Amino acid sequence: MPNTVLVTREEPIAVVQINRPTVRNALNDEVMTELVAALQRLDDDEAIRCLVITGDEKAFCAGADIKDEFVKATAVSMLAGDLTSKWEAIRKIHTPIIAAVSGYALGGGCELAMICDVIVASETARFGQPEINLGIIPGAGGTQRLTRVAGKYVANEIILTGRFVKADEAKAIGLVAQVYPAASWLDDAKALARTIAEKPPIAARLATEAVDIAWSATLDAGLEFERKAFYLLFATEDKKEGVDAFVNKRKATFKGR
Ligand code: CAA
């Protein structure tokens, strides 16, 4: 196996690291296949309750591998490659995913971060959708998700110029939840993952699904989903545990039941 993706289990969290440092962690078919397989394996593992996707200090991910994948690519080969199914598979992971970004998150790298549930960044992070410089446009959700985050005018300016957005600006436009110091970004991201991992997993899953629906459905449809999910959670053991722990002034221990 090429080992283009490394998994470190630190129960109840796991870190999934893209491992192609010589090409700034660019995405090729092997990375996407290994990434999806690793995430699906961890999603099936009840001991793992929050995932962190990361790269290295220099790059979260510089996007699609331009040299490997784009030089010979044609419209027909891109269509036949069915990349969409891999991105969709990541979107369907139920366990909350944090993108921990240091350095570059460009093109498909920015899109990978945006498919996660939370994005946090080192102060060194640089986000961008520079596909325009290659004569193409973002192809894994960039035009849609960045626009939902930043609005039409900011998204167009970023996509049309291909410029890099620094961590502080990314936070200001709502792309990034937290900016951490360069010396501690990954530890800080893992601490956030452990905080989320302590929460009731079924509620966490339904919360992220409800938030995603806010992007894709009408307000009425989103409110309807939220209401049903809210009622459903009253049937869980974790709801009894959370309420009992509050009433009896103790720390709750959630089981995902
Ligand atoms: N694909 C292939 N190789 C890449 C790459 C990519 N996306 N990004 C970087 N590399 C390679 C470089 O070619 C270089 O290889 P060599 O050492 O063999 O020359 C190596 O990684 C290091 O890169 P740099 O020397 O350029 O390092 P840097 O730190 O000065 O700059 C960078 C880093 C800003 C990321 C710059 O490499 C760059 O602009 N990369 C391209 C980013 C890009 O355009 N991404 C969008 C791709 S299209 C896409 O993602 C479509 C989609 O929606 C799915």
Side-chain angles (χ1 to χ4, degrees):
M1 287 295 276
N3 276 336
T4 58
V5 170
L6 305 176
V7 174
T8 313
R9 291 172 60 94
E10 299 175 23
E11 285 180 23
I13 71 166
V15 178
V16 178
Q17 184 190 359
I18 305 170
N19 180 39
R20 298 185 76 214
T22 55
V23 287
R24 302 287 183 265
N25 297 320
L27 300 170
N28 60 9
D29 197 47
E30 275 160 7
V31 178
M32 289 304 288
T33 303
E34 285 192 36
L35 187 60
V36 168
L39 293 172
Q40 286 177 337
R41 240 181 356 258
L42 292 164
D43 200 30
D44 286 342
D45 185 338
E46 283 194 7
I48 300 298
R49 294 188 176 181
C50 189
L51 302 171
V52 177
I53 298 184
T54 194
D56 54 33
E57 299 217 338
K58 282 190 181 155
F60 174 74
C61 169
D65 191 317
I66 301 166
K67 292 184 279 189
D68 250 21
E69 311 256 302
F70 278 9
V71 173
K72 291 188 198 136
T74 65
V76 174
S77 71
M78 292 299 285
L79 185 67
D82 192 21
L83 203 59
T84 313
S85 66
K86 302 221 171 72
W87 290 93
E88 280 302 299
I90 298 175
R91 195 160 79 94
K92 287 189 178 131
I93 299 293
H94 300 306
T95 310
I97 308 179
I98 298 172
V101 176
S102 174
Y104 298 107
L106 304 176
C110 188
E111 290 167 312
L112 177 62
M114 287 193 289
I115 217 168
C116 296
D117 298 300
V118 179
I119 306 177
V120 296
S122 159
E123 58 200 351
T124 66
R126 299 287 180 271
F127 296 84
Q129 298 288 167
E131 289 90 342
I132 194 97
N133 297 324
L134 303 171
I136 55 174
I137 65 168
T143 61
Q144 303 305 297
R145 294 198 171 94
L146 188 61
T147 305
R148 280 165 168 75
V149 168
K152 169 178 169 177
Y153 307 105
V154 175
N156 265 331
E157 189 259 347
I158 292 169
I159 291 166
L160 292 175
T161 61
R163 75 176 174 90
F164 298 164
V165 175
K166 292 183 180 173
D168 283 348
E169 185 187 351
K171 184 155 190 310
I173 64 174
L175 183 58
V176 157
Q178 300 289 341
V179 178
Y180 298 134
S184 63
W185 64 278
L186 190 53
D187 287 339
D188 293 340
K190 289 201 266 185
L192 175 64
R194 279 190 288 274
T195 299
I196 293 172
E198 281 181 5
K199 307 298 179 197
I202 304 170
R205 168 182 171 170
L206 290 174
T208 55
E209 282 182 25
V211 169
D212 267 350
I213 285 171
W215 272 17
S216 58
T218 61
L219 180 61
D220 279 350
L223 290 173
E224 187 63 15
F225 177 88
E226 182 195 77
R227 194 167 59 86
K228 299 253 171 70
F230 177 66
Y231 295 156
L232 176 68
L233 288 163
F234 281 76
T236 62
E237 285 178 30
D238 283 347
K239 173 261 163 190
K240 285 196 194 85
E241 168 66 6
V243 171
D244 186 73
F246 177 82
V247 171
N248 292 300
K249 299 185 187 298
R250 63 176 176 84
K251 189 175 178 334
T253 306
F254 295 114
K255 294 187 182 138
R257 299 276 183 266

